[in-house]
Amino acid sequence: MKRDLPQPKKETLFYEDNKTYAVLATHPVAKGHVVVAWKKKVTDLHLLNKKDYEHLMDVVDKVRNVMLKVLKIKKIYLIYMDETKHVHWHLVPRYNVKGFNVFKHKPEKLKDFSLAGKFGRSFSI
């Protein structure tokens, strides 16, 4: 499937299929923050048909499980925001900070891409 959006940075990409991809967030709010995105330009989640929605959520679920295993944590926040008018989920690890406090951290540009390799090696669909 042709991607309608710009290519994700190669060093952040750790999963891709014909409809979705998963990358490390380039400005994470927590270590291991991931974005799972739909490749085709779709402006809102409700515009996906049932089969595509289920595929996307299966990928989100599998990516979350990899994150839990690799990061050795118990909770991942799933966040859907549509300000960019493109279907994507943010998966934000919860460490010691709970609730909305996790979003009070100022995101900084990602410099260490090593988690992409660790996530990718742990990923099996």
Side-chain angles (χ1 to χ4, degrees):
M1 175 181 288
K2 182 179 177 281
R3 184 183 283 120
D4 289 342
L5 304 167
Q7 293 279 353
K9 291 185 174 188
K10 185 177 179 179
E11 61 271 19
T12 65
L13 182 70
F14 64 89
Y15 173 78
E16 184 173 24
D17 64 25
N18 63 339
K19 295 182 178 187
T20 65
Y21 61 87
V23 294
L24 295 176
T26 56
H27 288 81
V29 296
K31 181 181 178 183
H33 176 176
V34 166
V35 175
V36 175
W38 195 252
K39 286 183 177 180
K40 297 287 256 173
K41 181 71 174 167
V42 178
T43 58
D44 194 75
L45 199 56
H46 80 278
L47 297 173
L48 290 174
N49 65 45
K50 183 178 179 179
K51 182 178 177 184
D52 286 342
Y53 175 81
E54 289 173 352
H55 176 80
L56 173 64
M57 296 314 296
D58 283 346
V59 172
V60 167
D61 186 53
K62 290 171 184 173
V63 169
R64 184 194 65 223
N65 290 340
V66 163
M67 293 171 67
L68 291 169
K69 176 182 170 186
V70 171
L71 298 173
K72 296 178 174 64
I73 57 175
K74 295 183 181 188
K75 186 74 171 175
I76 304 284
Y77 291 118
L78 302 180
I79 304 156
Y80 177 77
M81 299 183 297
D82 63 358
E83 284 82 9
T84 62
K85 299 198 182 308
H86 176 252
V87 170
H88 67 285
W89 284 92
H90 289 263
L91 286 71
V92 178
R94 184 180 86 187
Y95 295 98
N96 295 328
V97 179
K98 295 182 180 179
F100 290 107
N101 289 337
V102 72
F103 303 108
K104 291 184 179 179
H105 302 289
K106 183 179 178 185
E108 295 185 12
K109 188 171 183 173
L110 183 67
K111 295 176 183 165
D112 179 2
F113 304 101
S114 61
L115 276 176
K118 291 176 183 175
F119 288 159
R121 287 187 296 277
S122 295
F123 210 91
S124 60
I125 286 191

